[in-house]
Amino acid sequence: MMFRLNRRIRPFDSLISRLMLLGLCLVTIGIAARYYAISHFLREDLATVVEAQQLALATYVARDIDERIVHRRNLLERIGAALPPDLLRRPAALRAWLKEHYEFQPLFSAGLFVTDTRGVALADYPVLPDREHGDYADRDYIKDALAGRTTIGRPVMGRAAKEPVLPMAVPLLDGRGEVRGALVGITALATPGFLDLLQQSHIGKGTGGFLLVSPQDRLFVAASEPDMVFTPTPPSGVNALHDRAMAGYRGTGITVNAKGVEEVSAMVTVPSTGWFLVARLPSREAFATVARTQSFLLRNGVLAFMVFAALASTGMYVLLRPLSRAADHAERMTRGEIPLEPLPVVRQDEVGHLIGAFNRLLKKLDEQQAELARIAHHDSLTGLPNRALLADRLHQALARAQRTGSRVALLFMDLDGFKLINDSLGHEAGDDALRQVAQRLGKIVRQSDTLARVGGDEFVLLLCDLGEDAEAAAGIVAQKCIETLLPPFTVADIPCAIGVSIGIATGSGDTAAGALLQAADRGMYRAKKAGRGRYVACPV
């Protein structure tokens, strides 16, 4: 239903259009509120049920996996207790003994083998060409067993089996209780009756499944998706619920996985290994009822919107037609009386509030632009000027030196020992060391000078307004820089030594900025070659 509007009034400027729009907005808000409330309630209710189901399923599967592992560990302990110590000196007889026990209870699909106290394999069964006489002293389970402890090793790619395996080992004791060797049982993860069912099982319509995770190794031990088996877990920050599980959380939650798919997950510990099992189901499948309900609400909402629009437009046409005619008459009476200049806002109503908000937004944009300009000229780690700002200040200093007849000096500094800290303690420790270096150097810099960070561990100090003894003055400052870095730095609670090699170049107003910087750089390299922890002046 359309109204006759004066040609000077645009449709959305008219009172009729605004009232119509207001009514439609109210209806839309009501539909949206109903849509959200019902969807939210139904999703929360279903989430409680689905999470409980996932937790029960994960608990059952985790308990089953734990029982299988504990059963193998107990069996290995019984076999180790029954192994005669004198067989350790007779490999052939030892292999026959292993064969007899392996064939009686073949739970260790990848075989059994025995090592001596050095971790060298004495005999195995089934016989694998790369296992006998192999040195396994570096394996965690061998170390624990030779130390007298029964242990379940971390899942590894078997050297001899050439597939993902779970090793476990028990110590072999003689009559005096001394360790004579280690008995190792190896189970392939995909062996029938072990983790093969987990890797073949899916939840729901095939899109959900299981993950078996070793948090200490940050490894997916087994998974319903074959391409995830024996792959590293995602880094921190990718999946918030996974990060909590890696930190020890056990329970349920809704999260977005590394592939960007929202899913309902339940985490349960496998006690014998420290692993945890994840049962996961995509939210689109878990909350399929919610999606169908939302579709129903949308269809009915659109119908209600159309009915209201038809009734409201008819009602406003009948009620507001006289007001529209009065507005046309008033417009004709006042035509030409509106000033050309913008009308001021005299009331602090919604329009005044909008204008005020817009003005505040402009002010905020100006502040952000100033902050961006600051970031573009300063190092984000230390807050010092960067190479761009240094170049600008160097040109200004040379121009001032040209006018006043003074001299400038550049100290090009490269840290000694920083790479060792960065490589051994990590990048965060290296960043902390750089910040501490910047703080110490900043305490000896005049307000008129510029200390900048121009590279990883490279700093440049610009000295301005120097006299004819510029090189001597720069040498004094360089020695102060060396001395201020002599006390040890505390990085990651560890005292560390950081030195500095400095190249010095001086120039006047006629000196090119690039030549001055290159000369200081050459001086730094000469200081490095001369033994570090010193300064060398280099002519331009």
Side-chain angles (χ1 to χ4, degrees):
M1 185 72 66
M2 298 298 294
F3 295 96
R4 184 176 62 86
L5 298 176
N6 187 280
R7 61 182 179 179
R8 293 177 178 268
I9 301 177
R10 292 174 296 182
F12 288 103
D13 290 336
S14 71
L15 178 61
I16 296 173
S17 298
R18 292 182 180 185
L19 288 175
M20 183 71 177
L21 183 60
L22 175 62
L24 293 177
C25 286
L26 292 176
V27 173
T28 302
I29 291 172
I31 294 173
R34 180 168 173 263
Y35 175 89
Y36 173 79
I38 295 177
S39 299
H40 184 69
F41 170 78
L42 186 58
R43 182 182 172 92
E44 283 191 341
D45 192 57
L46 279 177
T48 302
V49 175
V50 174
E51 287 179 2
Q53 292 175 343
Q54 292 291 93
L55 185 62
L57 181 60
T59 301
Y60 173 79
V61 176
R63 186 182 297 119
D64 181 69
I65 293 173
D66 188 65
E67 289 176 355
R68 294 172 188 270
I69 294 174
V70 171
H71 181 51
R72 283 168 169 77
R73 183 188 64 193
N74 294 340
L75 173 62
L76 193 66
E77 289 177 341
R78 291 196 299 270
I79 295 175
L83 193 152
D86 63 299
L87 292 182
L88 299 178
R89 296 188 297 272
R90 296 180 291 157
L94 178 59
R95 184 180 298 108
W97 193 90
L98 291 175
K99 176 181 179 182
E100 176 184 347
H101 286 76
Y102 174 83
E103 293 177 347
F104 178 68
Q105 286 183 318
L107 291 181
F108 300 100
S109 60
L112 299 167
F113 70 93
V114 176
T115 73
D116 59 16
T117 54
R118 299 171 301 164
V120 177
L122 298 175
D124 67 331
Y125 190 85
V127 178
L128 295 178
D130 296 332
R131 187 153 59 191
E132 190 172 352
H133 304 304
D135 187 355
Y136 291 84
D138 61 328
R139 294 300 199 187
D140 58 338
Y141 54 91
I142 295 294
K143 293 178 182 178
D144 287 346
L146 294 180
R149 299 186 297 271
T150 298
T151 184
I152 298 173
R154 65 181 61 183
V156 295
M157 183 64 67
R159 293 180 182 176
K162 309 300 183 185
E163 61 177 322
V165 297
L166 177 67
M168 54 184 68
V170 298
L172 297 176
L173 308 177
D174 58 15
R176 294 175 297 179
E178 296 181 357
V179 178
R180 298 289 301 280
L183 173 64
V184 181
I186 308 293
T187 305
L189 297 182
T191 193
F194 191 41
L195 300 183
D196 60 322
L197 293 179
L198 181 147
Q199 297 181 165
Q200 298 169 8
S201 299
H202 294 276
I203 303 175
K205 298 179 180 179
T207 54
F210 297 97
L211 293 174
L212 187 59
V213 183
S214 174
Q216 59 270 31
D217 303 312
R218 304 191 69 84
L219 183 73
F220 290 122
V221 178
S224 299
E225 298 181 26
D227 59 345
M228 295 184 66
V229 177
F230 246 57
T231 60
T233 59
S236 299
V238 174
N239 185 331
L241 187 60
H242 172 79
D243 293 344
R244 292 178 61 197
M246 295 292 283
Y249 171 74
R250 299 295 179 264
T252 60
I254 299 176
T255 186
V256 177
N257 64 24
K259 297 180 179 179
V261 178
E262 186 184 66
E263 58 188 17
V264 182
S265 300
M267 287 70 65
V268 178
T269 297
V270 180
S272 60
T273 59
W275 303 343
F276 65 89
L277 180 78
V278 183
R280 54 193 191 135
L281 180 66
S283 295
R284 65 177 182 273
E285 184 173 338
F287 304 128
T289 301
V290 176
R292 291 192 295 270
T293 302
Q294 290 173 333
S295 178
F296 173 80
L297 292 173
L298 284 175
R299 290 195 302 270
N300 283 271
V302 171
L303 179 61
F305 184 90
M306 295 174 64
V307 170
F308 174 82
L311 294 177
S313 60
T314 302
M316 283 189 291
Y317 175 77
V318 173
L319 295 175
L320 298 179
R321 186 176 181 183
L323 180 60
S324 175
R325 290 178 176 177
D328 291 343
H329 183 70
E331 194 277 331
R332 287 193 299 271
M333 290 176 60
T334 58
R335 184 178 303 164
E337 298 179 4
I338 300 175
L340 296 177
E341 65 273 13
L343 294 175
V345 177
V346 295
R347 297 190 308 273
Q348 292 302 319
D349 55 6
E350 287 79 0
V351 175
H353 177 72
L354 178 61
I355 294 175
F358 181 73
N359 292 335
R360 290 191 294 272
L361 177 61
L362 288 178
K363 182 179 178 182
K364 185 68 174 177
L365 290 174
D366 289 340
E367 293 174 351
Q368 288 183 350
Q369 188 171 3
E371 177 64 15
L372 289 174
R374 190 196 69 81
I375 293 173
H377 292 88
H378 288 79
D379 174 48
S380 60
L381 178 64
T382 62
L384 296 176
N386 60 15
R387 186 181 292 271
L389 184 54
L390 173 67
D392 182 64
R393 292 188 178 178
L394 178 56
H395 282 93
Q396 293 180 13
L398 291 172
R400 187 165 61 252
Q402 179 88 31
R403 294 192 304 269
T404 62
S406 61
R407 296 180 65 81
V408 298
L410 273 184
L411 279 63
F412 199 107
M413 296 178 277
D414 187 87
L415 301 182
D416 302 326
F418 172 75
K419 186 175 185 302
L420 177 61
I421 295 174
N422 208 39
D423 293 344
S424 59
L425 300 181
H427 293 295
E428 290 186 4
D431 291 346
D432 183 37
L434 289 173
R435 284 190 289 266
Q436 294 187 45
V437 169
Q439 290 173 0
R440 290 196 190 181
L441 293 177
K443 293 178 181 178
I444 63 174
V445 175
R446 299 180 304 174
Q447 188 173 4
S448 60
D449 300 331
T450 298
L451 175 63
R453 180 179 175 224
V454 297
D457 60 346
E458 294 176 342
F459 295 81
V460 172
L461 177 55
L462 169 62
L463 305 178
C464 305
D465 302 320
L466 302 178
E468 291 301 323
D469 59 345
E471 187 169 314
I476 294 173
V477 176
Q479 186 61 38
K480 288 183 179 180
C481 292
I482 294 172
E483 292 173 355
T484 196
L485 299 186
L486 285 178
F489 291 77
T490 301
V491 181
D493 298 327
I494 299 174
C496 302
I498 300 178
V500 63
S501 298
I502 305 176
I504 300 175
T506 60
S508 62
D510 297 329
T511 307
L516 196 64
L517 188 61
Q518 290 176 6
D521 186 45
R522 289 196 301 272
M524 181 273 293
Y525 279 106
R526 292 177 183 176
K528 286 278 189 184
K529 292 181 179 179
R532 304 188 178 188
R534 63 191 65 203
Y535 65 88
V536 172
C538 186
V540 177

